[in-house]
Amino acid sequence: MPLPVQMTAVEISEPGGPGVLRAVERAVPLPSQGEVLIRVAYAGVNRPDALQRAGSYRAPLGASDLPGLECSGWIAAIGPGVSGWMVGDPVCALLPGGGYAEFATCPAAHLIKVPKWLPLKDAACLPETCFTVWSNVVMRGGLRAGERFLVHGGSSGIGTTAIQIARGLGARVFATAGSAEKCAACAELGATAINYREADFVEVLKAAGGADLILDMVGGSYIGRDLRALADDGRLVFIAFLEGPKADINFAQVMMRRLTVTGSTLRPQSDAAKAAIAREIRAHVWPMLQAGRLRVIHDSEFALTEAAAAHARMESSAHIGKIVLRVG
Ligand SMILES: NC(=O)c1ccc[n+]([C@@H]2O[C@H](COP(=O)([O-])OP(=O)(O)OC[C@H]3O[C@@H](n4cnc5c(N)ncnc54)[C@H](OP(=O)(O)O)[C@@H]3O)[C@@H](O)[C@H]2O)c1
């Protein structure tokens, strides 16, 4: 099938609220060296998309200005220097941007083949969360079987993935969330759920012996409390600062209790670093999916042209799990 010249995409017309997302016609992008062109079936919606739209998270140099960090679909064209893929292959991909569109380009090394047993809607929701969770919880945080793991925002896209992957690795999992319904969702996935409006996660974790690893997306007032909730030799990994990046902390405990504080963001990392994470996902996370130990928790589905409503849903924080855009 010949490629169209034009496609529908959703762009950020100016920094602002969900209403600044606008459906437009754009030229279909061409794959460069080492890239493929994907005909997008579904695009996952992530909190960083909302931050980009609001003007507080810039696309890295060279990335599409369109939002969208993950998608599923079919390979529509193959760029120079790419081998091992064929037009029509079903894939999902971590994107540097550009997923809110009918076509998106992506380095071939960041593709993951979608097996027959995995619906494309599920596949679109996996790359951003799986790459983030695996690289921060396992590769950076070093989570091992038998350890106590705490994730904040347990009902989020990241949180629901982190709970299941940590359980799959044999960890004992704790998760914070802000309502009884969200706590029930975390508990159903195997976490000890802590409603942070009713209980102090520091006390819960201390009573259990302390957290060996914490994955935090909140920051702010949680920073000092995270350190207190850690067991000796514990590790704290930051992936976002929804409540702010600053805190007045006594760092003596980091030294006295041999704590490690680290963190990372996925998007600005090199293509080679993302390719290394992709290899680990294929080897370790895809088998968990196939075995049914990891599943996508779907919150809601919107058409591509309803991206503003999808962002409003995300920013309401009423959602549990993933929000997805239906594209093709
Ligand atoms: N570092 C990276 O590479 C990377 C990659 C992807 C995502 N992230 C970050 O990871 C976080 C989760 O992403 P996601 O796509 O899974 O988003 P999401 O589904 O919207 O999750 C955000 C969750 O954080 C909780 N939360 C706690 N304090 C909050 C506050 N002050 N403001 C807003 N929410 C708060 C909310 O649950 P409650 O109602 O229970 O509070 C909500 O479920 C985001 O902050 C995102 O920017 C980082």
Side-chain angles (χ1 to χ4, degrees):
M1 200 170 66
L3 285 175
V5 178
Q6 294 283 105
M7 65 176 186
T8 301
V10 169
E11 69 174 20
I12 301 168
S13 56
E14 58 181 317
V20 305
L21 292 175
R22 194 173 57 186
V24 290
E25 289 293 301
R26 286 265 187 118
V28 170
L30 292 175
S32 315
Q33 178 76 23
E35 291 186 340
V36 301
L37 179 72
I38 301 170
R39 180 156 64 87
V40 178
Y42 291 91
V45 176
N46 293 282
R47 183 70 66 152
D49 306 345
L51 299 176
Q52 181 181 346
R53 188 213 68 225
S56 54
Y57 189 49
R58 277 165 53 145
L61 215 63
S64 166
D65 63 311
L66 299 174
L69 299 174
E70 61 184 353
C71 75
S72 66
W74 306 269
I75 293 184
I78 293 178
V82 174
S83 59
W85 294 100
M86 282 171 51
V87 169
D89 279 348
V91 291
C92 64
L94 182 77
L95 303 171
Y100 290 20
E102 289 178 304
F103 291 88
T105 54
C106 169
H110 303 170
L111 291 174
I112 304 183
K113 188 156 187 168
V114 176
K116 282 198 170 56
W117 46 264
L118 187 62
L120 281 171
K121 181 175 165 180
D122 285 10
C125 298
L126 289 163
E128 179 69 11
T129 53
C130 287
F131 276 65
T132 301
V133 169
W134 191 265
S135 61
N136 285 291
V137 171
V138 180
M139 297 168 78
R140 192 167 298 276
L143 186 66
R144 293 181 291 272
E147 289 194 317
R148 287 178 294 273
F149 169 64
L150 168 65
V151 58
H152 293 303
S155 65
S156 64
I158 294 283
T160 52
T161 307
I163 292 170
Q164 295 179 82
I165 286 181
R167 288 274 298 168
L169 292 169
R172 183 174 166 203
V173 181
F174 298 77
T176 59
S179 72
E181 191 193 2
K182 288 182 171 185
C183 282
C186 297
E188 203 190 317
L189 296 174
T192 298
I194 305 163
N195 185 335
Y196 63 76
R197 297 183 203 282
E198 294 173 355
D200 180 358
F201 70 82
V202 180
E203 297 309 319
V204 177
L205 266 295
K206 273 176 139 179
D212 298 297
L213 177 67
I214 299 178
L215 184 68
D216 187 10
M217 60 185 73
V218 180
S221 63
Y222 277 30
I223 301 174
R225 297 170 67 202
D226 284 338
L227 294 178
R228 294 211 312 280
L230 283 174
D232 290 357
D233 296 297
R235 294 94 68 200
L236 170 57
V237 182
F238 287 107
I239 55 165
F241 293 95
L242 286 166
E243 204 189 289
K246 294 186 180 169
D248 186 7
I249 303 288
N250 179 350
F251 269 90
Q253 57 191 319
V254 173
M255 175 178 71
M256 300 306 290
R257 298 202 291 119
R258 302 171 301 281
L259 308 178
T260 301
V261 179
T262 181
S264 75
T265 53
L266 187 57
R267 201 174 185 188
Q269 291 188 46
S270 68
D271 282 353
K274 290 177 188 170
I277 302 169
R279 284 194 293 277
E280 295 232 351
I281 303 278
R282 286 185 207 106
H284 302 290
V285 179
W286 250 229
M288 284 186 188
L289 273 167
Q290 186 164 19
R293 284 182 286 140
L294 170 63
R295 63 191 165 90
V296 177
I297 307 303
H298 287 289
D299 176 77
S300 46
E301 177 182 321
F302 295 84
L304 173 63
T305 51
E306 297 169 340
H311 275 216
R313 170 88 184 149
M314 172 155 274
E315 288 179 318
S316 76
S317 273
H319 64 291
I320 293 177
K322 292 286 300 193
I323 300 169
V324 71
L325 300 177
R326 186 178 62 256
V327 182

